[in-house]
Amino acid sequence: MQRVFSGIQPSGIPTLGNYLGAIRNWVPMLDQYECIYCVVDQHAITVWQDPKELARQTREMAAALIACGVDPDRCVLFVQSHVHAHTRLAWIFNCVARLGWLNRMTQFKDKAGKDRENAGSGLYVYPNLMAADIHAYHATAVPVGEDQKQHLELANDIAEKFNHDYGVDFFPHIDPIIQGVAARVMSLRDGTKKMSKSDPSDQSRINLTDDADAISLKIRRAKTDPEPLPGELAGLDGRPEARNLVGILAAITGVTPADVLKDHAGQGFGTFKGVLADALVAHLGPIQSEMKRLLADPAAVDALLRKGSDRAAAIADPIVTKAEELVGFLPRR
Ligand code: AQP
């Protein structure tokens, strides 16, 4: 069975975008792969996080994953900072990866924005830590969206250079698992921007913790255009907000966007938004109840995560210790 690694940042409340684009796809993988899933709090602090919020969000993210069906008995589920193998290997990779490689990473450019000189250096070496996350487990498959493809290529470049420099065949090649129809959920305020948990506007996203009233209100207020829905996909060209809402209903109800249009052609957004809000409330309701149940006992969630980190460390520690030995570090014992 191939070993899969995937991570999610506790940089806010998980959104509908995280759910449709990542979390939901993690569940069927439990049947096909040996899965290692991680709440990557060390990645999250590459941009400022309020310390109290970060701890709460980390636990909340773990609860959200479990509530969505990521069963901790069928995978290794843990928090990144609890397993020191990640940063030990990341340091080695900081020394293997070339500056020129990191300079090409578009996510750094996007996240650092115009104030590049003032960005944290952690944000710059983020892809090296991501490579360490995967290689610390000798994982060979990673589910990736379009935005993470470049980082995965870098993880393979780092592995190849490490193997070459130290004359070994130690870190394996990683293959991307390309998800079926890419469910890229866009902001409810701007159909050209992706929905993000750290967007300053709460109205731009559906949080997995939003209740029925909040969901209905946000969908009702979502930006749209005055035209009715078309009957064909081509009619959504140049209408990013309309395309986004159609895509969300399709993803939530398990049909294609073309099917959604067939059912709702000619409808105005007043009616369509009502249908969409009802579908979201029905779909997310059971997840929210389960999240609430789990978070009512935070110590139990923490205990599950501790168990997960013990299992993760049991896999990663020997691999990273071997990497340190290959580099020439004096063995600790
Ligand atoms: N809008 C989205 N549509 C589809 N997939 C999405 N993902 C994130 N937003 C969308 C996917 O969620 C996974 C985990 O993402 P992450 O938390 O590690 O980082 P991110 O992609 O930066 O997510 P956010 O919500 O935008 O976080 P912030 O605001 O902190 O940067 C990834 O697989 C991602 O593709």
Side-chain angles (χ1 to χ4, degrees):
M1 225 188 212
Q2 256 189 308
R3 186 176 283 162
V4 160
F5 180 94
S6 199
I8 187 159
Q9 298 184 73
S11 43
I13 302 165
T15 69
L16 182 68
N18 299 132
Y19 173 67
L20 292 176
I23 304 172
R24 188 167 76 158
N25 303 324
W26 289 9
V27 180
M29 287 197 290
L30 296 175
D31 297 321
Q32 301 156 34
Y33 301 96
E34 179 193 350
C35 296
I36 300 180
Y37 293 139
C38 186
V39 182
V40 289
D41 52 350
Q42 290 168 322
H43 282 287
I45 63 161
T46 55
V47 296
W48 170 251
Q49 303 292 335
D50 179 272
K52 279 201 199 84
E53 290 293 299
L54 181 63
R56 189 181 56 74
Q57 284 165 195
T58 300
R59 188 183 293 117
E60 200 171 80
M61 182 60 81
L65 294 174
I66 299 169
C68 290
V70 178
D71 180 351
D73 287 331
R74 297 176 61 215
C75 65
V76 179
L77 177 65
F78 68 106
V79 176
Q80 186 183 31
S81 61
H82 293 176
V83 178
H84 298 160
H86 293 246
T87 42
R88 284 162 57 200
L89 187 59
W91 182 256
I92 294 175
F93 286 177
N94 282 344
C95 302
V96 172
R98 306 290 88 184
L99 281 183
W101 301 355
L102 291 174
N103 285 339
R104 284 195 287 276
M105 296 298 114
T106 54
Q107 195 181 77
F108 173 76
K109 290 177 194 160
D110 292 345
K111 286 210 170 177
K114 289 201 182 79
D115 199 9
R116 195 187 143 101
E117 293 296 309
N118 205 27
S121 46
L123 189 64
Y124 187 69
V125 292
Y126 177 117
N128 296 344
L129 178 59
M130 182 174 151
D133 295 337
I134 305 163
H135 286 305
Y137 298 89
H138 275 178
T140 54
V142 173
V144 280
E146 223 20 71
D147 50 346
Q148 289 298 327
K149 259 186 165 163
Q150 206 187 22
H151 288 168
L152 199 62
E153 282 160 18
L154 186 92
N156 277 326
D157 290 344
I158 290 174
E160 270 174 37
K161 183 161 164 54
F162 180 97
N163 289 344
H164 174 268
D165 289 355
Y166 295 100
V168 289
D169 184 15
F170 186 62
F171 289 117
H173 184 84
I174 310 159
D175 291 315
I177 303 175
I178 307 289
Q179 323 269 239
V181 184
R184 192 163 175 80
V185 182
M186 309 311 279
S187 157
L188 299 177
R189 311 300 298 166
D190 176 353
T192 62
K193 245 174 76 180
K194 84 163 181 160
M195 183 180 284
S196 264
K197 48 182 131 58
S198 62
D199 191 298
S201 163
D202 189 58
Q203 295 298 313
S204 70
R205 60 177 168 264
I206 303 287
N207 304 309
L208 288 194
T209 49
D210 284 342
D211 62 17
D213 287 345
I215 292 174
S216 300
L217 193 66
K218 285 180 179 180
I219 294 295
R220 217 167 344 133
R221 286 188 180 156
K223 187 176 167 196
T224 41
D225 56 48
E227 301 298 317
L229 280 162
E232 307 279 334
L233 285 176
L236 292 174
D237 288 350
R239 301 173 65 186
E241 285 82 17
R243 180 183 294 278
N244 187 34
L245 296 189
V246 168
I248 293 174
L249 185 60
I252 280 288
T253 53
V255 300
T256 64
D259 289 333
V260 169
L261 290 182
K262 248 184 251 152
D263 290 346
H264 298 277
Q267 220 167 53
F269 277 101
T271 314
F272 182 75
K273 283 177 169 178
V275 174
L276 176 58
D278 288 348
L280 281 168
V281 168
H283 190 95
L284 298 180
I287 294 174
Q288 289 168 347
S289 312
E290 183 58 7
M291 254 182 99
K292 264 195 199 137
R293 189 189 70 75
L294 289 163
L295 290 169
D297 187 356
V301 176
D302 294 358
L304 282 174
L305 291 172
R306 266 198 304 277
K307 210 167 116 190
S309 64
D310 289 344
R311 290 171 64 202
I315 303 170
D317 278 341
I319 294 173
V320 174
T321 299
K322 178 71 190 166
E324 288 173 336
E325 217 177 90
L326 289 169
V327 165
F329 291 173
L330 184 67
R332 271 176 295 172
R333 57 185 88 230

